[in-house]
Amino acid sequence: MRRWYPLTFIMCIVYLAGCAFMIFWLLSIIGYTFDIPESVMGLTFLAFGGCMPEAVSAVLVIRSGSGAMGVSNAMGANSLAILFSLGLPWFIRTLSDGGSSNNSYLVIASYGLQYSIIALLGAIAWLYIVIYVAVYKLRKRVGMILFVGYGIIVAFMILNELDVIIPSGEEC
């Protein structure tokens, strides 16, 4: 039955893509129903739901005694998700629209994407600084400090997307 592996792999990818599409679509509808912008729904529910399996697997690996492996797994998975989940769809869309031959580009409906990117880079710097100050030892205090920093970053990004912190000057 080894010959069915390529077909089952493709079927698995198609199934995951269908489930992801349904989740995005349903969250967009829920956000529209409650007048919550799609960017805020993505920053909260989709990001949280997407990171949960990695968090659970990291906790299991850490509890088995491999703390460094759990942290590197979580960091590597998030880096891959950012590069693959954002970069590849934009690349494919740009290619399908004609690429650079007709100056095609994607319009991103975000009030402060540049500030969100700066905040994410700040979060990465915060992570490395906290781990360096903690002498690369994972303790509850380090976890709480990182959790509070994450909460501040998410709150900033949500309030920024709602046009509260840094007004864009545009009317909704």
Side-chain angles (χ1 to χ4, degrees), residues 46-69:
L46 289 177
F48 184 75
C51 292
M52 249 342 195
E54 287 301 324
V56 170
S57 69
V59 167
L60 292 175
V61 169
I62 289 170
R63 285 191 177 174
S64 72
S66 303
M69 188 172 146

Side-chain angles (χ1 to χ4, degrees), residues 38-49:
E38 288 180 356
S39 56
V40 173
M41 294 296 283
L43 283 170
T44 54
F45 296 107
L46 289 177
F48 184 75

Side-chain angles (χ1 to χ4, degrees), residues 17-38:
C19 287
F21 178 79
M22 290 299 293
I23 289 170
F24 295 146
W25 179 63
L26 290 173
L27 273 176
S28 295
I29 290 173
I30 291 169
Y32 180 76
T33 302
F34 293 108
D35 201 27
I36 302 171
E38 288 180 356

Side-chain angles (χ1 to χ4, degrees), residues 45-163:
F45 296 107
L46 289 177
F48 184 75
C51 292
M52 249 342 195
E54 287 301 324
V56 170
S57 69
V59 167
L60 292 175
V61 169
I62 289 170
R63 285 191 177 174
S64 72
S66 303
M69 188 172 146
V71 172
S72 65
N73 179 26
M75 291 174 63
N78 288 324
S79 301
L80 180 67
I82 290 170
L83 294 174
F84 188 70
S85 300
L86 290 177
L88 185 64
W90 287 355
F91 177 71
I92 292 171
R93 175 69 187 266
T94 304
L95 285 179
S96 68
D97 287 346
S100 62
S101 63
N102 58 5
N103 290 331
S104 62
Y105 57 91
L106 292 175
V107 176
I108 301 170
S110 174
Y111 284 120
L113 184 64
Q114 65 274 22
Y115 302 114
S116 295
I117 291 171
I118 291 169
L120 286 173
L121 292 173
I124 293 169
W126 176 252
L127 170 71
Y128 286 119
I129 289 169
V130 169
I131 289 177
Y132 177 76
V133 170
V135 195
Y136 302 97
K137 300 281 186 195
L138 298 176
R139 298 180 195 95
K140 283 185 180 181
R141 180 180 291 162
V142 173
M144 288 305 296
I145 290 170
L146 291 175
F147 186 72
V148 168
Y150 176 74
I152 291 169
I153 294 292
V154 169
F156 169 78
M157 291 171 69
I158 290 173
L159 291 174
N160 191 32
E161 285 298 322
L162 292 174
D163 210 19

